Amino acid sequence: MKVSTYSLHGVTYSLIVATVFCGPVTGYPANAGSGYKKTTDSSGVRQQRVLRSEELSVITPPPYLPEKIFRNILVPDSDVFRNSLAMNMVKISAGEYIMGNDGEIDYKTLLKDEPHTPYLGKGAPNPYIKDGPVMNENPLEWDEKPAHKVTLTESFYMSATPVTNAQYEQFRPDHKSFRGKSGFSKNDDDAVVFVSWHDAVAFTQWLSEKEGEHYRLPTEAEWEYAARAGTTTAYYTGDSLPEAYWQHQVMNRSYSIAPDKVQLKVAASPPNEWGLYNMHGLVEEWCADWYGPYQLNKQVNPQGAGRGIARVTRGGSHSTGLPYLRSANRSGALPGTGSFLIGFRVVKAGKLPIATAPPVELKKWAKDVKQQKADWDRSKLPANKAVFERPRTYTRVDPGSNGPFYFIHNHEPALSVLPNGDLLAIWFTTTLERGREMIVAGARLRKGAKDWDEPDIFFQVPDRNVTGQALWWDGDKTIYHFSGVSVADGWERLSMIMRKSTDNGVTWTAPEIIGKEYKNRHQVIDAVMRSKNGSLVLLCDADPSSNGGTAIHIRGTAAHISKDMGNHWYDPGAGNPLPVFKEGNTGSWIAGIHAGIVELKDGSWMALGRGDAINGTMPMSISKDEGKTWQYFPTSLTPIKSAQRLALTRLKEGPLLLVSFEQEMTNIISNGKTRKGIGMYTALSFDEGKTWPVRKLVTPGEGDILLDAPCNHRWGEKFSLLNKDHAEQRGYLTVEQAPDGMIHLLSSGTYYAFNMAWILKP
């Protein structure tokens, strides 16, 4: 060991250096962070202080120092040491603080030129209804509550910056191929990205073995404690974050990702008072914890939830809104995913003890669920008995809800009949459709019950938009759940996951990532079909706009599509050019977004969609080669518009069932009889979609009913009145028929139940 002393501004610094020679030193980088311990000041009184990077840059090391220095370079209990990867490790002393946030964000102070900011926060103007009621939600804060005291009983060392490309590639050299992916993180000293939680943990294990020390990811509590550095404000800089920390900070505009406006070089902005850089922004950072709700009581060395779906990420990132960069903000991601927004830093500390995880309370849709199979024959009605049940709200969100449910926007449902006879409905609830506050809510209608249960969280990846849901029952015991998961906000960059349940939706498998890349063509539609050859076909929008078609993802049997016994999904149209949706043309995608699909008796597949009208009609797409190519045709059906989605299925009685919308008061002809009507209707086809001779408005037909689901409050009376000639005029639809013949239909907020005999009844 060699001991060197340096003087700077009248202060003496000591450095103990390991003598393992790995090559000459070329000098300290100017952004090296903190690295020396102050031993005495001019009066001889012992003090401690972390040096800033500009102070380090003026110190010239002696020529004998090796390049891989700082293997335990400072005396024990020192403020900083540098490890074998040239990471500056800053000592964070034990202590306590208030974790979380019991206040509210003042959105008016954030990015005044940001177009979405005015619509966030309590008292903001309504984004959906002109002169409508002001916003009641403050959507970024519900999971930061309650603020609670946390005690950390042990000191630890935290890397002064996120792990860089150069450091990570010593562990995994082939990761260099990810440099520049999506335009980000190209240089040695840029924060590494495109690392999953599992990758980050593996790095800490490798580094621990390499150095004979214990490295790991920080807990969420350790991370916030270190980020705050003794402050109680939104940022360690105060109530606002200076522009020196900004990296293309935009709110709900991930569609405008701009790599040329982002620099991921670490330590390029000032550190906090404890010498840690990039705690606000640059990249989100993986933490050790499962994401879960906070506990009200005081916590000692908390380790988060005992189990969960997502692992916590902290700190916010480039290319997103400033509120996500606050010290208290909680984000998360599926542990198997990596993106251009997420990196990590490490701590050197003791191993985490086996913690007693807080109890996980069953969700409302999972409580007291009967597991006995339904007796469908017993509940089957005579074929000629017409049944139409009074419409009921299933999105039972309280008007005063302020997260995780939001009254202002509940939409895009999925529905499944369950083996025990219950129904399970899921939908997104959010403030803004592009927003990162979005979660998936779920509710159960128990067999024989009059009303739906109150909703509870069904699926959440914190601070990730989750546009696009589907549920599908295989007819035996397995329920499938599919979802899109955004890289941040919006639905232009989505990954895609699948989960399964074999106990009537009480428990679900961990999300399986079936579409790993964040891209278009992953916006799930509640349109799933199993073909005669055993293929499972899942529809997703091919384009994020109101036109552009629908993609299909296929999971097949070994005999027909899959080469790995049904575990592989593929998109036959991926990489092919956008089709020209004209009569007689062919292409690789379905015409129209938000499509529905059925298999015809001859084995071909038929789909109907929204937009991409052909000859002024709803487009029909036919594939005779299992979705590889489609031919486009006009229909006799009225095209549907924004805030509308059709539903298509084959009934057990044989005919095809379509549920769609008439846009204007028009003649609805059913079996030769004409009736005026507007809004949502059912239609039956007995010739495989060529004609639709039976049409009927979905309405009780007598009296006036004003629907009161949250979406109806948003859309107003004009679109929500039911009577003899008015049906619901807006809504995303999904339909399922139970084995007993009852047809269950959801709009964006209302549940309908009827049978085929009712559709046929004049």
Side-chain angles (χ1 to χ4, degrees), residues 19 34 75 225 417 431 534 630 693:
T19 57
S34 47
V75 295
Y225 176 65
V417 177
T431 299
W630 298 84

Side-chain angles (χ1 to χ4, degrees), residues 580-640:
V580 178
F581 298 116
K582 291 185 177 181
E583 182 176 0
N585 281 8
T586 59
S588 300
W589 309 353
I590 293 168
I593 63 170
H594 300 351
I597 189 170
V598 292
E599 185 169 31
L600 302 181
K601 292 178 180 178
D602 65 359
S604 58
W605 297 353
M606 184 192 81
L608 300 171
R610 186 184 98 185
D612 300 316
I614 297 178
N615 300 345
T617 71
M618 181 185 293
M620 176 187 288
S621 305
I622 300 288
S623 176
K624 297 182 180 297
D625 57 5
E626 298 180 335
K628 296 180 181 66
T629 56
W630 298 84
Q631 189 169 13
Y632 310 120
F633 302 92
T635 65
S636 61
L637 304 168
T638 302
I640 57 175

Side-chain angles (χ1 to χ4, degrees), residues 458-572:
F458 180 76
F459 183 69
Q460 177 195 12
V461 184
D463 285 353
R464 311 288 168 197
N465 188 284
V466 283
T467 296
Q469 305 295 314
L471 291 172
W472 183 74
W473 176 31
D474 69 356
D476 185 15
K477 65 178 182 179
T478 304
I479 313 298
Y480 290 73
H481 168 228
F482 303 91
S483 179
V485 179
S486 177
V487 68
D489 61 76
W491 51 88
E492 292 83 3
R493 290 177 172 84
L494 293 167
S495 63
M496 189 165 57
I497 66 96
M498 178 182 72
R499 302 190 297 164
K500 299 177 187 177
S501 173
T502 56
D503 56 6
N504 289 285
V506 175
T507 61
W508 294 84
T509 58
E512 176 187 345
I513 302 169
I514 60 175
K516 190 170 185 178
E517 293 294 325
Y518 292 96
K519 63 178 184 178
N520 287 336
R521 306 178 74 85
H522 284 165
Q523 185 181 343
V524 174
I525 306 166
D526 193 31
V528 184
M529 177 189 76
R530 181 165 55 191
S531 67
K532 294 175 183 177
N533 68 15
S535 299
L536 193 58
V537 182
L538 169 67
L539 268 56
C540 296
D541 283 352
D543 190 274
S545 68
S546 58
N547 292 283
T550 297
I552 64 171
H553 296 264
I554 302 175
R555 185 178 191 176
T557 63
H560 296 280
I561 297 173
S562 176
K563 296 181 180 180
D564 53 7
M565 300 303 293
N567 292 319
H568 175 67
W569 289 83
Y570 74 97
D571 177 354

Side-chain angles (χ1 to χ4, degrees), residues 142-201:
W142 66 270
D143 68 346
E144 299 167 16
K145 296 176 170 61
H148 54 288
K149 182 175 285 188
V150 167
T151 299
L152 301 177
T153 60
E154 301 292 337
S155 300
F156 57 93
Y157 286 88
M158 176 176 275
S159 57
T161 71
V163 175
T164 66
N165 282 322
Q167 291 162 347
Y168 187 79
E169 288 163 10
Q170 292 185 56
F171 158 62
R172 191 164 284 169
D174 59 355
H175 193 77
K176 195 166 188 176
S177 63
F178 287 88
R179 290 201 192 190
K181 183 177 179 180
S182 300
F184 296 103
S185 192
K186 301 176 182 179
N187 304 309
D188 282 357
D189 55 358
D190 287 351
V192 68
V193 291
F194 292 107
V195 288
S196 70
W197 183 88
H198 300 296
D199 294 332
V201 169

Side-chain angles (χ1 to χ4, degrees), residues 589-736:
W589 309 353
I590 293 168
I593 63 170
H594 300 351
I597 189 170
V598 292
E599 185 169 31
L600 302 181
K601 292 178 180 178
D602 65 359
S604 58
W605 297 353
M606 184 192 81
L608 300 171
R610 186 184 98 185
D612 300 316
I614 297 178
N615 300 345
T617 71
M618 181 185 293
M620 176 187 288
S621 305
I622 300 288
S623 176
K624 297 182 180 297
D625 57 5
E626 298 180 335
K628 296 180 181 66
T629 56
W630 298 84
Q631 189 169 13
Y632 310 120
F633 302 92
T635 65
S636 61
L637 304 168
T638 302
I640 57 175
K641 299 180 179 180
S642 176
Q644 297 175 341
R645 184 181 75 185
L646 63 86
L648 179 66
T649 192
R650 182 182 294 279
L651 297 180
K652 301 181 186 307
E653 295 88 345
L656 302 182
L657 169 67
L658 169 69
V659 191
S660 188
F661 296 90
E662 289 292 353
Q663 311 301 334
E664 300 175 353
M665 189 64 72
T666 188
N667 290 326
I668 297 178
I669 302 173
S670 178
N671 283 332
K673 296 183 179 181
T674 301
R675 181 179 177 180
K676 291 283 188 180
I678 185 173
M680 184 167 60
Y681 68 87
T682 60
L684 296 177
S685 176
F686 301 91
D687 58 5
E688 300 297 271
K690 296 181 178 67
T691 61
W692 303 86
V694 176
R695 302 192 193 192
K696 189 172 188 176
L697 288 183
V698 182
T699 174
E702 297 178 356
D704 289 346
I705 298 177
L706 187 60
L707 301 176
D708 64 351
C711 62
N712 301 114
H713 287 262
R714 187 176 86 233
W715 292 331
E717 181 175 338
K718 174 183 176 181
F719 298 97
S720 307
L721 179 66
L722 305 185
N723 58 32
K724 63 181 179 63
D725 53 13
H726 285 76
E728 196 169 356
Q729 294 182 48
R730 283 183 174 176
Y732 274 30
L733 308 179
T734 181
V735 68
E736 291 290 332

